[in-house]
Amino acid sequence: MDFSLSDEEKAIRDTVRTFIRKEILPLEQEVLRRERNHQPSLDRSELRELQLKAKKFGFWGLSTPEEYGGMNLPAVMQSLIWTELGRSFVPFRFGGEADNILFYANEEQKREFLLPTIEGDRISCFAITEPGAGSDAANIKLSARRDGDDWVLNGEKTFITNGNDADFAIVVAVTDKEKGARGGGTTAFLVDRAMGWRSEFIQTMGEGGPASLVFDNVRVPGRNILGEIGQGFELGMQWIGKGRYTIPSHALGIAERALQMAIDYANTRETFGKPIGVNQAIQWMIADSETELEAARWLVLRAAWTVDQGLDPRHASSMAKLYGAGMVNRVVDRVLQVHGGMGYTRELPIERWYRQVRLYRIFEGTDEMQRLILSRDLLRGYTMIGGHLA
């Protein structure tokens, strides 16, 4: 069994690593300074400039089909790239991307929404989560009432990523209450901000923040239905599912960078006349972190490999998300402990990671939801212990 990367995978990973080292890492001190002063880490024009620089490196639209100018990279390769991005806390992401479900758009919608999003001229957000529902994504209350050729939307969405900056939202709304979400009672709509919805910033323990979206008699033309009437919940699950291996991929990069900081600090910080790295307590934290990091790496790569093989990735992705999210929280906690008081200050990025990665156990499916999925699959016989090797 060969666990090595191909020459192509190594070359692409190393090119991304070079870009991160040259263009992203030098921005870190300025980003920390801005965040200490409660300023945005990067503004939209700065992010755009970085994305265009990355385009010159050949990186544009990692998951976007080639017909739209993207790279259409395999899932394993995308996972490796997300790990490299995780090495820096600068909130950079490659350009040329669009929500995966936007590719269900018809030709007119593609011209209006998909293509401008890929080019970076428009920003989208995906809105399914609602107040009082949390992990119960099927518990959708925001209603869409037909009125002639239009639909009128009323209700609220919450914890919406990019909701404060988005030009348009992909909104899953109830179109047939009797059928329920899983029975075809919800539909996805493409809703421009100009149609009347508003966003309200939600302050969190992390940097930046999501939004609540409020819809008060927002009129949406029927031509703005994404996909088919009744397909809303199905599209929503496809959107959520994609993050189940990219999130822990990003967590790997954070853990790698943080652990290296702990190793460097343990070799140079002296107490009682000797480096703290000679103390067993420090050594055990480093050893445990490396072991968990490697275990998470192979769960993540297996989940991505499952996608590339055309197999159902849900079970493998849930394991990767569950373990990867827990792993990075434990590693960052140990790294902060190794640094002592300095780790707790805002002079270093460790406390920032500490706040950032706590979200990984919540969004795109909480730990508890991943455990529910995994146990249900096994108890109902949907999968076997040991997966494809069983």
Side-chain angles (χ1 to χ4, degrees):
M1 188 175 293
D2 187 359
F3 288 100
S4 61
L5 300 179
S6 69
D7 290 341
E8 181 183 16
E9 289 168 338
K10 291 178 183 177
I12 293 177
R13 180 204 61 188
D14 292 346
T15 302
V16 174
R17 187 172 294 179
T18 298
F19 176 80
I20 298 297
R21 186 181 70 250
K22 289 184 175 180
E23 302 292 343
I24 305 300
L25 293 182
L27 303 176
E28 289 189 339
Q29 290 306 309
E30 174 61 15
V31 165
L32 285 179
R33 186 196 67 78
R34 290 182 184 184
E35 291 177 350
R36 287 195 296 267
N37 292 324
H38 307 289
Q39 299 171 341
S41 308
L42 292 175
D43 62 36
R44 188 168 176 175
S45 64
E46 290 171 324
L47 175 59
R48 177 71 167 165
E49 182 181 354
L50 288 170
Q51 289 175 336
L52 292 177
K53 285 183 178 180
K55 192 174 185 179
K56 292 180 179 179
F57 271 73
F59 292 95
W60 185 260
L62 304 184
S63 61
T64 301
E66 294 179 7
E67 64 183 289
Y68 297 100
M71 302 175 73
N72 196 28
L73 293 174
V76 168
M77 192 67 257
Q78 291 189 54
S79 175
L80 295 172
I81 290 174
W82 274 102
T83 296
E84 295 303 314
L85 288 174
R87 293 176 183 272
S88 177
F89 53 85
V90 176
F92 170 79
R93 59 186 183 275
F94 288 110
E97 295 287 329
D99 298 278
N100 58 334
I101 60 175
L102 268 182
F103 291 95
Y104 284 86
N106 59 39
E107 293 305 313
E108 181 182 354
Q109 292 170 342
K110 287 178 180 178
R111 288 191 295 270
E112 186 176 356
F113 297 99
L114 175 64
L115 298 180
T117 301
I118 290 173
E119 291 302 316
D121 298 324
R122 304 199 74 186
I123 296 177
S124 68
C125 67
F126 174 72
I128 190 170
T129 303
E130 297 193 1
S135 295
D136 185 6
N139 187 17
I140 299 170
K141 303 295 185 185
L142 189 146
S143 65
R145 173 179 54 84
R146 192 192 293 270
D147 184 14
D149 293 333
D150 298 339
W151 294 79
V152 179
L153 274 58
N154 280 285
E156 183 178 350
K157 300 292 184 179
T158 194
F159 296 119
I160 307 305
T161 303
N162 287 338
N164 297 297
D165 302 314
D167 304 301
F168 70 95
I170 306 170
V171 185
V172 179
V174 176
T175 48
D176 190 334
K177 188 175 181 180
E178 298 302 317
K179 291 183 177 179
R182 291 184 172 86
T186 62
T187 302
F189 294 87
L190 299 167
V191 191
D192 275 306
R193 186 182 287 267
M195 292 176 179
W197 59 269
R198 71 178 190 274
S199 59
E200 299 175 352
F201 181 78
I202 300 174
Q203 185 68 56
T204 69
M205 66 186 284
E207 299 301 328
S212 287
L213 309 186
V214 179
F215 296 79
D216 185 6
N217 289 320
V218 174
R219 184 171 292 272
V220 183
R223 61 181 174 82
N224 281 37
I225 289 175
L226 178 63
E228 303 293 335
I229 293 178
Q231 196 181 11
F233 186 73
E234 175 189 339
L235 292 177
M237 293 304 96
Q238 289 189 40
W239 189 95
I240 292 172
K242 184 178 180 182
R244 296 250 164 102
Y245 76 87
T246 58
I247 291 169
S249 298
H250 198 257
L252 292 174
I254 295 173
E256 287 179 3
R257 174 84 182 279
L259 180 55
Q260 187 61 57
M261 288 179 65
I263 292 169
D264 294 342
Y265 192 75
N267 281 327
T268 55
R269 171 74 166 115
E270 292 190 359
T271 59
F272 304 103
K274 57 185 179 182
I276 62 172
V278 303
N279 296 318
Q280 188 181 81
I282 302 297
Q283 294 170 355
W284 270 209
M285 285 192 279
I286 290 173
D288 288 345
S289 296
E290 166 70 351
T291 302
E292 292 185 35
L293 175 55
E294 280 303 294
R297 188 188 315 281
W298 296 110
L299 281 173
V300 170
L301 288 175
R302 182 199 166 198
W305 175 86
T306 303
V307 173
D308 287 338
Q309 300 306 306
L311 304 173
D312 186 339
R314 286 175 292 183
H315 194 83
S317 293
S318 287
M319 283 194 292
K321 170 70 164 59
L322 174 64
Y323 190 79
M327 175 277 297
V328 73
N329 274 269
R330 292 187 293 272
V331 169
V332 170
D333 181 72
R334 294 184 192 115
V335 170
L336 195 154
Q337 190 72 15
V338 169
H339 281 78
M342 278 303 298
Y344 193 63
T345 71
R346 302 196 73 178
E347 296 299 315
L348 297 176
I350 301 170
E351 66 83 32
R352 185 194 192 283
W353 280 321
Y354 193 89
R355 291 180 287 116
Q356 175 186 347
V357 302
R358 188 59 184 83
L359 178 62
Y360 288 20
R361 294 182 53 205
I362 300 173
F363 77 149
E364 314 300 354
T366 63
D367 286 0
E368 291 73 25
M369 287 305 299
Q370 306 313 319
R371 289 187 171 98
L372 176 63
I373 291 168
L374 294 169
S375 60
R376 180 190 61 197
D377 288 350
L378 291 166
L379 289 168
R380 297 182 182 179
Y382 297 158
T383 188
M384 297 177 63
I385 296 172
H388 71 283
L389 295 178

